[in-house]
Amino acid sequence: MKKLIFLFLYFPCTVFGQSYNFVQQTSGTATSIRGMSIVSDQVAWVSGSNGTVGKTVDGGLSWQWIKPVGYDKLDFRDIEAFDTNKAIIVNAGSPAYILLTNDGGRTWKQTYKNSDSAIFLDGMDFWDAKRGIIFGDPIKNRMQLLRTIDGGLSWQDISSKLKWNILTGEAGFAASGTTIRTMDNGKVWIVTGGAASNLYYSHNYGDKWGFYECPIIQGESSTGPFSIAFYDKKIGVVVGGNYLKDNENSNNILLTNNSGKTWTKPLKPVDGYRSCVVYINDKTMIATGSSGTDVSTDAGLSWYNISKLNLNVIQKSKTGKLILVAGNKGQIYKLVSN
């Protein structure tokens, strides 16, 4: 358990009268955090490299660090938490595993394993407590899709339901577990990058799919969309860039008001490569990445940098106001606005 350091690292910029501070919660753990799921203003889980999972039950004041036995070398790129006891984690790379805990992380059950040398799972999201979906990089030009209808106890391969072959060099990015997003009534969006960028969508829990081209930066293995978010079924945002040139911001953020059918550029973009974006409300959005964090208070039209911290993921509480951001070496910060 690590106690809150109460260290204000910045007294940063004011965005339209609102100031933001990063309050350090914990650091020093030997893990690069990319997975995050905030259940409430008290309960949050994170996951990362070296087989590490973290949990707080007091809003970030203290953290418990957990290593599922036998999986200590895995890189858990995504996590979905449901309460203080139940969470599901998925790793990147081969073999691919999905693990489930129902006792707060004391024990873990392996609910999926794939030893194919080409398997690489990118992200996971859930529609409700029972129904969830995971996607991964293509194998033989077929995107990997897994679905559960029993809360993660079992997973069905539904890859054949997406009828289009993925282009050679087209794949997903597992930078923050947010290249896949679900919404009520079976809606789900998945973005790919690399050689080509597309938005794949389903309105019926993954039974039938369509796709739109995504005109974000693309064409190289290090370019494309690294995160997507939707405020409602029509209004959304995609961010990314080139993670090898993380200070560049050429065509790395786009907005949609028709579920991804068409996209527009903001008037003032984010400052550089961004690996995660989240809606705080209909007007306020925050994007973070290795070269900094930006805020928009006008629904994504204009973005202003508030930090140069090297971070990977940001999330907001599903039921409250808690906002956490995390990065390397176990760094977790609470984002506080005044």
Side-chain angles (χ1 to χ4, degrees):
M1 308 287 277
K2 292 184 179 292
K3 298 299 182 182
L4 177 64
I5 299 175
F6 284 111
L7 176 63
F8 284 83
L9 296 178
Y10 291 87
F11 302 89
C13 73
T14 298
V15 181
F16 296 113
Q18 192 171 27
S19 61
Y20 292 86
N21 292 295
F22 285 77
V23 185
Q24 190 167 335
Q25 306 291 285
T26 185
S27 66
T29 300
T31 183
S32 172
I33 298 172
R34 292 188 180 274
M36 179 181 290
S37 183
I38 308 179
V39 179
S40 66
D41 283 350
Q42 291 73 44
V43 179
W45 296 65
V46 296
S47 64
S49 59
N50 300 314
T52 304
V53 176
K55 183 179 72 168
T56 180
V57 295
D58 54 16
L61 290 173
S62 59
W63 289 83
Q64 176 187 6
W65 295 102
I66 303 159
K67 285 200 172 188
V69 177
Y71 303 92
D72 56 310
K73 295 183 179 180
L74 298 185
D75 189 355
F76 294 120
R77 293 290 183 95
D78 204 1
I79 185 167
E80 183 75 21
F82 301 86
D83 51 41
T84 59
N85 292 315
K86 182 178 178 179
I88 296 169
I89 49 178
V90 58
N91 73 298
S94 176
Y97 296 94
I98 302 172
L99 306 181
L100 166 69
T101 182
N102 281 307
D103 57 11
R106 288 188 294 274
T107 61
W108 295 83
K109 178 180 180 181
Q110 179 182 300
T111 61
Y112 175 85
K113 179 181 179 179
N114 189 327
S115 297
D116 191 310
S117 61
I119 192 71
F120 193 104
L121 300 180
D122 293 296
M124 162 179 58
D125 209 357
F126 272 70
W127 291 284
D128 52 44
K130 294 294 185 181
R131 292 174 290 191
I133 187 169
I134 293 173
F135 92 103
D137 287 353
I139 298 177
K140 296 180 180 178
N141 298 109
R142 178 72 67 179
M143 180 187 289
Q144 299 303 291
L145 292 169
L146 303 172
R147 184 172 62 186
T148 182
I149 57 173
D150 56 14
L153 288 171
S154 63
W155 295 86
Q156 175 192 11
D157 188 329
I158 61 167
S159 304
S160 62
K161 292 184 178 294
L162 201 158
K163 304 301 182 181
W164 296 274
N165 283 341
I166 304 300
L167 297 177
T168 300
E170 177 188 356
F173 290 109
S176 62
T178 57
T179 43
I180 181 171
R181 295 285 193 175
T182 60
M183 194 166 282
D184 294 343
N185 301 316
K187 294 178 179 61
V188 58
W189 296 268
I190 296 170
V191 284
T192 58
S197 178
N198 289 295
L199 175 74
Y200 298 90
Y201 63 89
S202 172
H203 300 314
N204 53 10
Y205 300 97
D207 280 333
K208 294 182 179 180
W209 293 84
F211 80 96
Y212 301 122
E213 293 181 356
C214 181
I216 199 169
I217 184 174
Q218 57 195 270
E220 300 178 36
S221 61
S222 57
T223 61
F226 286 72
S227 181
I228 191 168
F230 277 86
Y231 178 73
D232 58 27
K233 65 181 181 180
K234 291 186 177 296
I235 298 173
V237 59
V238 61
V239 300
N242 185 340
Y243 72 84
L244 296 178
K245 301 176 181 179
D246 63 356
N247 286 306
E248 295 185 1
N249 66 346
S250 174
N251 189 28
N252 69 329
I253 178 168
L254 298 171
L255 307 169
T256 183
N257 60 11
N258 55 11
S259 302
K261 184 176 182 180
T262 59
W263 299 87
T264 59
K265 294 182 179 181
L267 300 174
K268 184 181 186 302
V270 293
D271 269 11
Y273 158 78
R274 297 294 177 258
S275 56
C276 194
V277 64
V278 65
Y279 278 90
I280 306 303
N281 53 48
D282 62 335
K283 297 296 184 183
T284 305
M285 305 149 72
I286 306 175
T288 196
S290 58
S291 62
T293 299
D294 302 286
V295 172
S296 172
T297 57
D298 58 4
L301 292 177
S302 302
W303 293 81
Y304 298 88
N305 186 258
I306 61 171
S307 170
K308 295 298 184 182
L309 282 171
N310 181 341
L311 298 167
N312 298 323
V313 60
I314 180 169
Q315 291 294 334
K316 177 183 177 293
S317 168
K318 298 175 183 178
T319 59
K321 297 181 179 180
L322 178 65
I323 301 171
L324 297 176
V325 287
N328 304 316
K329 297 181 180 179
Q331 296 169 327
I332 303 174
Y333 302 86
K334 182 186 293 186
L335 187 60
V336 180
S337 62
N338 299 310

